[in-house]
Amino acid sequence: MKLLLFLEHHFFNIDGEVYCDRIINHDYLTRYLDSFDEVVVCGRFSNNVPKKKMKVSGDGVSFLPLPDFQGSSGIIKNYRTIRNILKKNIHKYDAILLRAPSPISFVAHDIVKSSHIPYAAEIVVNPKTMFCKDSCSSKLRPLISWLFVRHTKSLCKNANGVSYVTEKVLQTEFPCKALKLKDPSYFTDHYSSIDLHDYQFSYKVPQKNKKDFSIVHTGYMDSYSKGHKQVIDVASILVESGYDVNVIFIGTGNLEGEFKEYAKSKKIFEKITFCGSLNGYSEVQKQLLRADCFLFPTCSEGLPRSLIEAMANSLPCISSPIDGITELLERKYLIDYKDTQEMAKSIKMLIDDFNIRTEAGLRNYNKAQEYRYDVIRERRKKFYNQLRNLCK
């Protein structure tokens, strides 16, 4: 059985091997190889050499390359080429899986649907928040948002199977047939894309009467949607209030220089550590274990892996009441991503009250157990097997 897997990432062919600069590696793809004999990855291929690269090629994995592009103008420019590639190759596969919404799933969906090959979708983000004003600066944003919301609704309505990263939130906005029909040709489930093994969890009792307090944030610096400036603002408020705080930023991107300049303008640059892109979860975990709380004022999410990782390391967490985050944190730790004063107030509470800090960390650690690898893997495997069974 051969699965065609549509991924939004950018891939790089270097000396005959294929690499990705974010998240995806060969180990990641083994989740699909649990159910299929071969996975054919369809994604954008670039001629550039990334600073950080993870090997994707290996046993059971091959590729259907698409031209590289960025943004809405890139979709328009390459639209016909991508469709021609898909039309020429689509019938070579037994089943199709689209991780969506994404530019590639947007272009590919009607071709996939008309192929009559069994297909499923993994809905990993909410297009309504993905294209909100603070996440997308394009003048075409309202049109893009409308098109992607429409696309996601259509994809969920027509796919044989739909999995969601949330338990309830995205299902309500983008329902699929399996939620209404009792038909084995249609199925649904929910699971995260995260892989957290037992040894990657860590519970630590907070240090009492700490003189300094570390705030950690994880997120790519490619847009303003992950709230980097808000974190800097919160740190500035706390310092001005007499608290000895510092910030750890994990991740990099083309806006890193701008964020550094912003920290300098707030006169707290020396209080911030820019870690850049770290190599693997173990390096990320080292920074999480240095911290006292996780602050993530995001305006666009599905179910953030970075937040679950922080919870798995028993950190008190403050984030936004956006999409699946509402299923992870208690209401009192959900604050509008623009309300930096309220965020600072909540962190003051964590600093000043050891018992509250301890209780929040333990609660998050226990909640994160729901996302252990063995739990998630069984849900994924069941979903992929249902897709495979339609091929027989």
Side-chain angles (χ1 to χ4, degrees), residues 4 50 56 65-66 92 153 157 217-218 226 229 244 261 274 299 317 320-321 331-332 341 355:
L4 179 63
V56 182
L66 299 178
K92 297 177 181 179
K153 288 183 177 180
K157 180 181 178 181
H217 173 287
T218 304
K226 302 303 179 185
K229 284 190 173 182
D244 184 5
E261 289 303 314
F274 288 85
C299 66
C317 299
S320 319
R331 182 66 189 89
K332 61 184 176 182
Q341 290 289 344
N355 291 330

Side-chain angles (χ1 to χ4, degrees), residues 122-133:
E122 293 182 318
I123 305 301
V124 298
V125 71
N126 186 344
K128 288 184 178 179
T129 56
M130 183 167 69
F131 295 107
C132 69
K133 289 182 179 179

Side-chain angles (χ1 to χ4, degrees), residues 27-39:
D27 286 344
Y28 181 98
L29 297 177
T30 58
R31 64 187 61 180
Y32 305 105
L33 290 170
D34 282 344
S35 300
F36 292 90
D37 301 314
E38 182 181 350
V39 174

Side-chain angles (χ1 to χ4, degrees), residues 118-350:
Y119 75 101
E122 293 182 318
I123 305 301
V124 298
V125 71
N126 186 344
K128 288 184 178 179
T129 56
M130 183 167 69
F131 295 107
C132 69
K133 289 182 179 179
D134 293 308
S135 182
C136 178
S137 59
S138 172
K139 293 180 180 179
L140 298 174
R141 184 195 64 79
L143 174 61
I144 295 171
S145 177
W146 180 81
L147 287 172
F148 270 82
V149 169
R150 183 170 176 265
H151 155 64
T152 306
K153 288 183 177 180
S154 176
L155 179 57
C156 291
K157 180 181 178 181
N158 291 290
N160 295 100
V162 182
S163 75
Y164 304 83
V165 289
T166 63
E167 185 176 353
K168 296 178 180 178
V169 173
L170 292 178
Q171 287 88 328
T172 301
E173 295 207 44
F174 305 98
C176 64
K177 285 185 178 180
L179 294 172
K180 298 179 180 179
L181 299 178
K182 290 185 177 181
D183 183 331
S185 297
Y186 301 99
F187 50 94
T188 186
D189 211 324
H190 65 90
Y191 51 78
S192 169
S193 62
I194 199 168
D195 282 338
L196 277 178
H197 299 270
D198 288 345
Y199 65 87
Q200 293 173 314
F201 287 78
S202 176
Y203 179 71
K204 63 172 186 176
V205 177
Q207 185 178 338
K208 203 168 187 177
N209 300 322
K210 280 196 71 178
K211 292 184 178 180
D212 61 334
F213 193 85
S214 295
I215 301 166
V216 66
H217 173 287
T218 304
Y220 293 116
M221 298 180 174
D222 294 334
S223 71
Y224 304 104
S225 65
K226 302 303 179 185
H228 292 85
K229 284 190 173 182
Q230 284 89 337
V231 173
I232 293 169
D233 287 339
V234 169
S236 176
I237 293 169
L238 291 167
V239 169
E240 289 177 1
S241 300
Y243 288 87
D244 184 5
V245 300
N246 59 80
V247 173
I248 302 168
F249 278 133
I250 301 171
T252 188
N254 54 24
L255 292 177
E256 182 174 348
E258 180 178 333
F259 294 147
K260 286 180 177 179
E261 289 303 314
Y262 188 71
K264 290 176 183 177
S265 73
K266 290 288 184 176
K267 297 181 171 51
I268 59 164
F269 180 73
E270 70 282 356
K271 293 278 189 179
I272 300 179
T273 300
F274 288 85
C275 296
S277 182
L278 300 179
N279 187 23
Y281 177 79
S282 61
E283 293 301 311
V284 171
Q285 188 178 37
K286 287 179 183 178
Q287 298 302 323
L288 293 175
L289 292 175
R290 285 179 54 201
D292 298 294
C293 83
F294 182 79
L295 178 60
F296 195 57
T298 177
C299 66
S300 173
E301 291 300 330
L303 191 78
R305 294 157 54 100
S306 58
L307 176 56
I308 298 173
E309 289 173 354
M311 294 169 66
N313 287 277
S314 59
L315 284 176
C317 299
I318 297 169
S319 191
S320 319
I322 298 291
D323 302 327
I325 297 174
T326 60
E327 297 178 355
L328 295 174
L329 299 180
E330 294 177 284
R331 182 66 189 89
K332 61 184 176 182
Y333 297 112
L334 297 171
I335 300 170
D336 184 276
Y337 65 93
K338 291 182 178 180
D339 195 346
T340 53
Q341 290 289 344
E342 191 63 26
M343 291 178 218
K345 181 180 176 181
S346 292
I347 293 179
K348 289 177 184 178
M349 175 185 68
L350 292 173

